[in-house]
């Protein structure tokens, strides 16, 4: 739970965001963030008593600034399960490149930093929740393939949409962002939608 001046809090979060993006996986210390924000360590800890509090809050701050809720409107208001699946893949898949710098930093730091690990796990848990909502919509409409349980289908979609997979396909393999969305959407339909059903 944080307290203190909202403007100072925002400055700290913006500073953490900036440093995480620039760190490329190197550790970002609380001291570094305090210095970047122009506040004392004492002031930093007044707002964020633990490192994990700050890192989790930073990921939520990024989502707020980038208006994730607006990006998910099409998915959440979809009329059919297939529409929801396609819209969620489009929303999350096109969000990945915007948060990749911070995500990469948290993934690497998370190997030795519990705060970073918790922050990234929280965001990936939110993605899994979105995947489950899309799968539930497919299942509700009788559009989910009988080959997988709802839980298995959620696992598959969550894995397809992992940041690591996006990184491999777009950075390592050189796919364009539009090709990535097209192919992942097609793979998801083939794996998760019952034969003969087309949205």
């Amino acid at each position: 739970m944080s307290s203190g001046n909202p403007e100072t809090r925002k400055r700290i979060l913006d500073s953490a965001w900036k440093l995480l993006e620039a760190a490329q996986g190197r550790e970002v210390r609380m001291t570094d963030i305090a210095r970047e924000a122009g506040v004392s360590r004492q002031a930093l800890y007044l707002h964020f008593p633990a490192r994990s509090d700050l890192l989790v809050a930073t990921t939520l701050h990024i989502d707020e600034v980038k208006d994730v809720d607006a990006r998910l409107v099409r998915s959440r208001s979809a009329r059919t399960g297939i529409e929801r699946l396609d819209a969620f893949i489009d929303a999350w898949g096109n969000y990945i490149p915007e948060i990749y710098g911070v995500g990469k930093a948290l993934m690497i730091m998370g190997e030795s930093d519990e705060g970073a690990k918790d922050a990234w796990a929280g965001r990936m848990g939110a993605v899994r929740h979105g995947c489950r909502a899309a799968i539930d919509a497919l299942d509700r409409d009788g559009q989910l393939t009988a080959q997988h349980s709802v839980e298995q289908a959620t696992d598959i979609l969550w894995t397809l949409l992992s940041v690591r997979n996006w990184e491999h396909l777009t950075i390592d393999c050189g796919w364009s962002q539009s090709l990535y969305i097209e192919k992942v959407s097609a793979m998801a339909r083939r794996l998760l939608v019952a034969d003969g059903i087309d949205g």
Side-chain angles (χ1 to χ4, degrees), residues 6 13 43-44 50-51 53 62 70 79 83 90 109 119 145 151 153 165 172 178 182 186 198:
L13 292 171
L44 181 67
R51 178 181 172 78
D53 295 335
I62 293 168
R79 293 176 297 110
E83 285 179 7
D90 184 71
M109 288 167 58
T145 178
E151 194 68 24
N165 282 341
D172 298 337
S178 60
E182 175 192 333
D198 188 3

Side-chain angles (χ1 to χ4, degrees), residues 1-99:
M1 196 69 149
S2 65
S3 59
N5 187 303
E7 290 181 9
T8 303
R9 183 178 190 276
K10 181 181 182 303
R11 196 161 71 246
I12 292 168
L13 292 171
D14 285 338
S15 296
W17 181 358
K18 176 182 175 182
L19 291 176
L20 285 167
E21 278 195 329
Q24 298 184 335
R26 296 186 304 275
E27 181 186 5
V28 176
R29 300 172 302 171
M30 296 290 270
T31 305
D32 301 326
I33 296 168
R35 185 182 304 114
E36 178 69 27
V39 300
S40 66
R41 279 175 57 89
Q42 182 180 4
L44 181 67
Y45 283 106
L46 172 66
H47 289 271
F48 302 101
R51 178 181 172 78
S52 59
D53 295 335
L54 174 55
L55 294 174
V56 169
T58 301
T59 62
L60 295 173
H61 176 63
I62 293 168
D63 285 350
E64 183 179 343
V65 170
K66 291 185 172 287
D67 203 357
V68 166
D69 284 337
R71 295 166 187 252
L72 291 171
V73 166
R74 192 165 66 89
S75 173
R76 290 171 175 165
S77 62
R79 293 176 297 110
T80 69
I82 292 177
E83 285 179 7
R84 182 153 196 168
L85 176 68
D86 289 344
F88 183 73
I89 290 170
D90 184 71
W92 170 247
N94 282 313
Y95 190 45
I96 293 173
E98 296 186 42
I99 52 90

Side-chain angles (χ1 to χ4, degrees), residues 173-184:
C173 299
W175 286 18
S176 68
Q177 182 63 22
S178 60
L179 181 63
Y180 164 79
I181 295 294
E182 175 192 333
K183 294 298 186 183
V184 169

